[in-house]
Amino acid sequence: MKANFDDRIARATELLRTNLAARDLLTFYRELALYQKPVYEELRSSEQTDVRALMKHFPALLELVRRAGPEQLAEFGAEHLQAPAAQEEVLLAVWNDHGGDAVASSEARRCDARVLLQPYAEYLASKGRIDTAATEVTCPFCGARPVAAVLRGEGDGAKRWLLCSVCSTEWPFRRVACPNCGERDKDKVPVYTAADFDHVRVEACDRCKTYIKAVDLTRDGRAVPVVDELATVALNIWAENRGYTKLESNLLGL
Ligand SMILES: [Zn+2]
Ligand SMILES: [Zn+2]
């Protein structure tokens, strides 16, 4: 069910051909996924579960960000992440607090660490036993917040899942409920759609003023939620202009 790195790379490549507005984002994301794939495979083949095993991959990531990433991310890497001690510090800080808000204020600080932690956390999740009957607002495996919702066909309707921003675990969640504050009054959790994106919608909450984007696989079965979420950045701007704050940023800090 879960999209592997090859699926993500292929989807980014496909969207690059048609989605001109998100071209730069998709190009950079594709590079990141190409970088993450061998990190994941190495962890899996070596059965490495110590987060410090990621340290040796840090220099190549900084080089990739310098070459292909957004300017402020490249600058942050050059200024603050050259020393191995600084790399380890940020990696451990983000890993130890990925469910909390302490690091949320510095997206640049978080970005590199999250690119590395994602394949690591996915590897751990692939080994773990996850209670997918959970209906919590945070990931039942790692405790992080969801980066997107996913709608999958089931029976005559669609079932809603939440996709973890760190370990990519999906867990079922109520169809009509805010994944931040739990609001269930359907008048307070409006859904917005845009003509440009038939299969991605904004699910907002008027109680806590957050939003999450939902990728509807019943409308586009080829969509890969983590990639389609990222490719529809125009919807973020739309939602944020209406006073909603994104529940959790994606890998690119958006
Ligand atoms: Zn998780
Ligand atoms: Zn809410």
Side-chain angles (χ1 to χ4, degrees):
M1 189 197 288
K2 201 155 85 180
N4 62 30
F5 287 100
D6 284 327
D7 297 334
R8 297 174 211 177
I9 294 161
R11 180 64 173 169
T13 307
E14 182 187 343
L15 290 178
L16 265 172
R17 286 198 288 269
T18 51
N19 189 333
L20 296 178
R23 203 179 169 81
D24 290 350
L25 285 179
L26 283 165
T27 302
F28 181 46
Y29 172 74
R30 188 175 173 278
E31 294 264 352
L32 292 179
L34 283 164
Y35 163 86
Q36 287 177 312
K37 183 186 166 187
V39 173
Y40 177 82
E41 284 168 356
E42 194 194 292
L43 290 167
R44 198 179 52 180
S45 65
S46 64
E47 300 187 16
Q48 187 55 259
T49 57
D50 183 348
V51 69
R52 290 177 186 83
L54 296 170
M55 284 294 294
K56 68 171 176 219
H57 299 289
F58 224 118
L61 175 60
L62 291 176
E63 173 54 26
L64 190 166
V65 169
R66 192 191 63 74
R67 178 172 54 79
E71 202 173 319
Q72 98 236 48
L73 206 54
E75 276 173 15
F76 185 85
E79 274 176 42
H80 300 287
L81 295 174
Q82 291 305 306
Q87 297 166 4
E88 185 172 311
E89 197 266 323
V90 74
L91 202 58
L92 293 177
V94 176
W95 177 240
N96 290 331
D97 191 44
H98 59 261
D101 286 313
V103 289
S105 54
S106 173
E107 282 297 346
R109 190 174 137 81
R110 248 178 128 197
C111 274
D112 292 306
R114 288 174 84 194
V115 172
L116 274 166
L117 288 169
Q118 190 171 59
Y120 171 71
E122 285 188 30
Y123 167 62
L124 295 185
S126 75
K127 286 164 58 83
R129 226 179 58 83
I130 302 165
D131 176 16
T132 51
T135 50
E136 295 137 44
V137 295
T138 52
C139 174
F141 182 71
C142 77
R145 286 184 295 253
V147 69
V150 183
L151 302 173
R152 284 200 164 81
E154 195 177 276
D156 292 334
K159 191 168 173 180
R160 187 185 188 206
W161 303 72
L162 298 177
L163 170 66
C164 177
S165 55
V166 175
C167 76
S168 303
T169 291
E170 288 184 15
W171 69 100
F173 198 70
R174 280 179 172 277
R175 184 69 197 259
V176 179
C178 169
N180 184 47
C181 72
E183 177 63 57
R184 287 195 213 169
D185 179 347
K186 69 174 170 31
D187 294 332
K188 294 199 176 108
V189 287
V191 170
Y192 300 102
T193 52
D196 290 348
F197 306 108
D198 186 46
H199 68 296
V200 183
R201 60 190 212 175
V202 171
E203 299 177 338
C205 175
D206 286 330
R207 183 165 129 197
C208 68
K209 300 304 276 182
T210 63
Y211 76 96
I212 191 166
K213 288 189 289 180
V215 180
D216 189 343
L217 297 178
T218 68
R219 287 174 176 265
D220 187 348
R222 295 171 60 81
V224 172
V226 72
V227 186
D228 288 62
E229 190 285 316
L230 204 138
T232 49
V233 67
L235 292 176
N236 304 26
I237 297 162
W238 184 92
E240 280 150 31
N241 282 340
R242 273 154 192 79
Y244 297 114
T245 304
K246 201 163 184 248
L247 179 56
E248 180 56 283
S249 58
N250 59 33
L251 208 55
L252 303 186
L254 301 169

